Amino acid sequence: MNVEVTPLPGIGVRKDFELASGRRIGVVTHRDGTVDLIVSKRDDPDACAAQVPLSNEEAAVLGNLLGAPQLVSQLQEEHRDLPGISTRQMPILEGSPFDGRTLGETAMRTRTKVSIVAAMRAGQVHPSPGPDFTFTAGDLLVVVGTSEGLDAAAKILHHG
């Protein structure tokens, strides 16, 4: 995909790309740091059909929603020929006992034999987080292991 970057003098920067339908979708990052999700009109790529202002937290959640499934899909494809190995997304929810605590404090691998292979935060992928990686509510973890191990990991992240 070709992402076009367009400076908007006095406003910020527009980054967008063309969909198969001919519409353009993207974001406008304003000089003050705010972000708008934009969708062009079908017949005029310079005119907006929809503009949705997003807070930083909302933009981060949207980035996680869009980025994590691609990573999980790729990992599932790579593990396709390994029977018994699955990949799952697991959120760190508000109120999780591990919100604000490190990966090492979960003892996840020791307790469940699963591996946290990535953490998505604010639209950024943190691959292979180490034991000192501190979880934050809103993180989306990509976890690999057996079905039983993944179920146990989900319980740990939700209940401690």
Side-chain angles (χ1 to χ4, degrees):
M1 290 269 152
N2 183 31
V3 176
E4 290 186 25
V5 178
T6 307
L8 303 172
I11 297 171
V13 177
R14 175 180 170 159
K15 296 177 186 172
D16 63 349
F17 64 97
E18 187 172 345
L19 302 173
S21 68
R23 281 191 154 172
R24 298 190 71 80
I25 189 167
V27 296
V28 173
T29 304
H30 294 265
R31 291 174 46 183
D32 65 2
T34 59
V35 176
D36 292 337
L37 176 65
I38 57 170
V39 179
S40 72
K41 291 185 176 179
R42 191 174 313 274
D43 58 345
D44 184 357
D46 292 324
C48 278
Q51 181 171 349
V52 180
L54 300 173
S55 69
N56 288 336
E57 182 180 12
E58 292 164 339
V61 169
L62 181 60
N64 285 345
L65 290 174
L66 295 172
Q70 292 173 334
L71 181 58
V72 168
S73 177
Q74 179 182 350
L75 287 169
Q76 286 172 335
E77 179 63 26
E78 291 173 4
H79 296 134
R80 182 186 53 186
D81 296 328
L82 299 172
I85 300 297
S86 299
T87 304
R88 196 180 297 172
Q89 299 174 49
M90 296 186 188
I92 299 293
L93 301 172
E94 191 77 38
S96 164
F98 291 102
D99 180 11
R101 295 177 61 196
T102 66
L103 171 58
E105 290 177 280
T106 68
M108 190 67 69
R109 185 173 297 196
T110 302
R111 294 168 70 184
T112 66
K113 307 294 187 245
V114 304
S115 294
I116 297 174
V117 298
M120 300 284 298
R121 177 182 293 156
Q124 300 289 324
V125 177
H126 299 271
S128 301
D132 59 340
F133 183 85
T134 302
F135 295 130
T136 301
D139 286 354
L140 189 59
L141 309 180
V142 179
V143 187
V144 175
T146 64
S147 292
E148 297 81 17
L150 293 171
D151 290 344
K155 288 178 185 172
I156 289 169
L157 291 175
H158 288 47
H159 306 293

